[in-house]
Amino acid sequence: MKKERDLKFYHGVCSSLSFEGKGVLLTPEKEKILVKGLFVGEEADVEVLYKRNGLYYGKIKHLFKMSEKRVPPLCPVHNACGGCSLDGLSYDEQLLFKKRVVEEQLFFHTSRHFDVKDVVSAPNTVGRNKIQVPFGYDRYRRKAISGFYRENTHEIIENENCVTEMALAKRILKSLNYLVNKYRIAPYDEENGTGYLRHALVRISSRNKAMLVLVVNDLSYRLPEQFISELKKDKDIETCLLNLNDQKTNVVLGKTNKCLWGKGYLDEDFHGLKFRLSPQSFFQTNHAVAELLVNSLLKEVEDIKGKKILDAYSGIGTIGLSLASEGHNVIAVEIMEEAVADAKYAAQINGISSFSPFVMDSTEFIMKETQKKANYGAIILDPPRKGTTEEFLKAVLTLMPEKVIYVSCDPKTLGRDLVSLLEKYDVDLVQPFDMFPYTHHVETLVALKRKLPQ
Ligand code: SAH
């Protein structure tokens, strides 16, 4: 067995970016060192921090040669924070990087080259409409702090100027921090499970109103009245809830909410329709980009009007209801009860009757549809990062709709899932969208068309 060496420092030139947007240094022994904030062509002294799964991870100690594509990072704590690996790279380069990642991942899994379109840029790169930050206690400064985690740690990096946050979210988090310290609300301590406040989640609607969710580990604790009334002075916080999470887990939200004021959900507009968002319901993080994505999706199903469309992993129905409002007949399936309740509410207030949402696991649902020999003109799926299941894909190949449209937030699982579909479908369009500017993440729409019989 090859003996592992104890690599502490390395000097070299970055040859490529990994799919997570980290600079890659290749040693003569073919070891890879991944370095955040190092871009292609740059020469640096790097300190190696740790090794995981056969890869070294390091940080820049000294940069000797800078890339022309480098721009001043927008974030003041860019080096420490674990988010936004592409901050510091020009926006055009960020888009080129994402296109390449989609090309590479699809090729890696399918061994086929696809004509990946240029990434649709974000009209508003600081448009992230949901932000969730952990709270912790800073022992040195003896105060509660919130922020993002240092990469691969649970150490909180305080940051009042996060590039991804909208101005209103920043303002709310700043005043929340102040009030938490003023009223001595105890932050949760992950190690021993003591304390109270775990996370704050802020959601901003396109009307620039906010929902604030305080994730706490005990609903019986009474927050000081003064704390609530001071927080409430911010009239842009339309609604504020407590969410109970008393488990030792990395999952942010628990199941139970208690409304402190307002309606308990956030009013939102999308594709000319009115929606409501419950704390647990998913909503795409960049509103403007989500609109562009749905417009592009609508074009793909334009010619199959009159036939049923399945919207799997439908959330609150942003895709399905947009389609239904344009005359399509949509069946939606989503596992989260709250999201389906939001979808039903939206269908009702927008007067849409050609939309039928079901609370069920998408795979279970589609397998039932195959037994019924259901007839779909198109199947749309928009699963979470882990992608869909083999059984789901098998069922698609049994139902054989004219079109399959896969919306994915992870090119790796997208590539994996496309393999079986390619047996009976041709790829018509691969269109990435910049849903998550400054990060390495990319959203991709793939439109597939049933192959003609040979
Ligand atoms: N299409 C929606 C939501 C996409 S996010 C939109 O554009 O807004 C993925 C959604 O899949 C989430 O709402 C999540 O709750 C749901 N989900 C996760 N696992 C699921 C499963 N096994 N079956 C059905 N829905 C699932």
Side-chain angles (χ1 to χ4, degrees):
M1 209 171 84
K2 199 170 135 192
K3 194 170 173 296
E4 280 186 8
R5 63 174 170 150
D6 193 15
L7 196 58
K8 289 241 161 55
F9 290 95
Y10 189 73
H11 177 99
V13 177
C14 172
S15 53
S16 60
L17 285 189
S18 71
F19 70 86
E20 328 138 87
K22 291 192 166 72
V24 181
L25 293 175
L26 202 57
T27 71
E29 291 77 17
K30 302 274 178 276
E31 297 149 317
K32 277 185 180 169
I33 310 168
L34 303 185
V35 187
K36 188 185 166 199
L38 186 67
F39 302 127
V40 176
E42 293 189 330
E43 184 181 347
D45 268 345
V46 162
E47 181 183 347
V48 177
L49 302 171
Y50 57 90
K51 189 176 187 185
R52 187 169 294 161
N53 300 330
L55 295 168
Y56 291 99
Y57 289 82
K59 68 171 185 188
I60 302 174
K61 287 306 274 183
H62 187 78
L63 196 58
F64 292 95
K65 195 180 139 209
M66 273 193 214
S67 161
E68 296 144 24
K69 313 283 165 48
R70 188 179 269 279
V71 293
L74 293 176
C75 175
V77 295
H78 167 69
N79 288 333
C81 177
C84 299
S85 53
L86 299 182
D87 186 17
L89 193 61
S90 77
Y91 189 57
D92 285 349
E93 277 300 307
Q94 292 184 30
L95 298 181
L96 287 175
F97 161 77
K98 293 184 189 199
K99 176 175 173 172
R100 208 169 50 242
V101 167
V102 175
E103 282 167 349
E104 283 171 5
Q105 287 299 329
L106 296 194
F107 179 75
F108 177 79
H109 289 278
T110 67
S111 306
R112 287 180 38 186
H113 287 291
F114 294 105
D115 170 27
V116 177
K117 300 284 175 228
D118 288 344
V119 180
V120 172
S121 63
N124 178 0
T125 54
V126 278
R128 197 185 175 98
N129 54 28
K130 176 180 148 186
I131 219 86
Q132 52 194 28
V133 290
F135 271 81
Y137 189 71
D138 184 331
R139 284 191 184 83
Y140 300 104
R141 288 184 295 161
R142 299 185 172 203
K143 60 182 264 205
I145 55 167
S146 67
F148 287 95
Y149 289 130
R150 187 186 288 280
E151 193 161 28
N152 291 318
T153 74
H154 273 197
E155 180 193 341
I156 295 169
I157 305 290
E158 232 184 347
N159 181 10
E160 283 183 358
N161 265 315
C162 173
V163 269
T164 63
E165 285 171 23
M166 292 165 91
L168 177 56
K170 277 189 203 157
R171 188 179 87 208
I172 292 171
L173 286 175
K174 194 172 170 183
S175 81
L176 177 64
N177 255 322
Y178 167 76
L179 294 173
V180 162
N181 280 294
K182 179 171 173 187
Y183 291 99
R184 298 181 176 277
I185 314 286
Y188 179 70
D189 183 324
E190 277 187 323
E191 265 163 41
N192 49 32
T194 57
Y196 174 70
L197 180 59
R198 295 176 71 130
H199 276 84
L201 181 153
V202 185
R203 254 182 157 155
I204 311 286
S205 69
S206 47
R207 304 175 188 184
N208 209 32
K209 293 288 175 198
M211 165 195 272
L212 172 64
V213 183
L214 303 176
V215 185
V216 298
N217 80 336
D218 180 4
L219 277 187
S220 62
Y221 170 78
R222 276 177 66 95
L223 278 163
E225 293 290 334
Q226 291 269 38
F227 169 82
I228 297 176
S229 60
E230 280 205 52
L231 204 54
K232 212 171 170 178
K233 278 187 195 151
D234 191 332
K235 294 296 170 216
D236 288 331
I237 308 178
E238 233 175 29
T239 187
C240 177
L241 302 100
L242 295 179
N243 172 271
L244 175 67
N245 186 350
D246 53 7
Q247 306 292 310
K248 270 208 159 204
T249 166
N250 280 340
V251 177
V252 174
L253 289 177
K255 286 198 164 62
T256 317
N257 300 316
K258 182 178 162 194
C259 188
L260 292 180
W261 75 82
K263 297 188 222 171
Y265 55 80
L266 188 66
D267 288 311
E268 181 57 301
D269 306 302
F270 188 81
H271 200 73
L273 304 171
K274 291 191 186 339
F275 283 87
R276 73 169 203 204
L277 287 173
S278 297
Q280 278 92 347
S281 296
F282 173 89
F283 190 70
Q284 293 285 11
T285 52
N286 189 308
H287 196 289
V289 178
E291 293 269 9
L292 295 172
L293 190 145
V294 165
N295 286 341
S296 154
L297 203 152
L298 268 161
K299 276 196 209 130
E300 291 303 318
V301 293
E302 217 164 40
D303 53 343
I304 49 166
K305 269 206 181 128
K307 295 178 193 155
K308 269 193 308 185
I309 294 182
L310 176 63
D311 175 17
Y313 305 90
S314 56
I316 62 164
T318 36
I319 293 176
L321 281 160
S322 300
L323 262 58
S325 75
E326 306 268 352
H328 290 285
N329 183 4
V330 182
I331 312 287
V333 56
E334 157 66 45
I335 206 160
M336 182 92 74
E337 234 169 275
E338 291 82 356
V340 174
D342 289 350
K344 283 186 177 158
Y345 172 89
Q348 196 193 348
I349 55 166
N350 292 294
I352 296 175
S353 54
S354 58
F355 175 84
S356 319
F358 293 89
V359 184
M360 207 188 281
D361 166 55
S362 287
T363 303
E364 207 179 303
F365 184 85
I366 199 171
M367 285 169 74
K368 286 205 168 116
E369 292 296 271
T370 57
Q371 281 158 19
K372 287 197 252 164
K373 299 198 168 43
N375 192 7
Y376 284 101
I379 293 178
I380 298 167
L381 67 157
D382 182 8
R385 302 191 63 75
K386 65 174 186 222
T388 191
T389 62
E390 276 177 39
E391 293 82 2
F392 186 99
L393 296 166
K394 226 188 227 169
V396 172
L397 294 174
T398 309
L399 292 170
M400 286 297 284
E402 220 168 287
K403 295 216 170 167
V404 177
I405 298 172
Y406 196 136
V407 180
S408 155
C409 57
D410 187 345
K412 280 191 283 182
T413 52
L414 171 66
R416 179 200 67 197
D417 291 347
L418 279 184
V419 174
S420 55
L421 293 176
L422 291 177
E423 289 166 26
K424 294 188 179 165
Y425 284 85
D426 288 323
V427 169
D428 245 4
L429 176 73
V430 183
Q431 179 63 72
F433 292 84
D434 194 20
M435 189 70 79
F436 322 97
Y438 305 108
T439 75
H440 65 278
H441 296 290
V442 55
E443 187 86 5
T444 313
L445 181 151
V446 176
L448 300 123
K449 208 168 155 186
R450 194 171 57 206
K451 282 185 186 170
L452 296 171
Q454 302 279 318

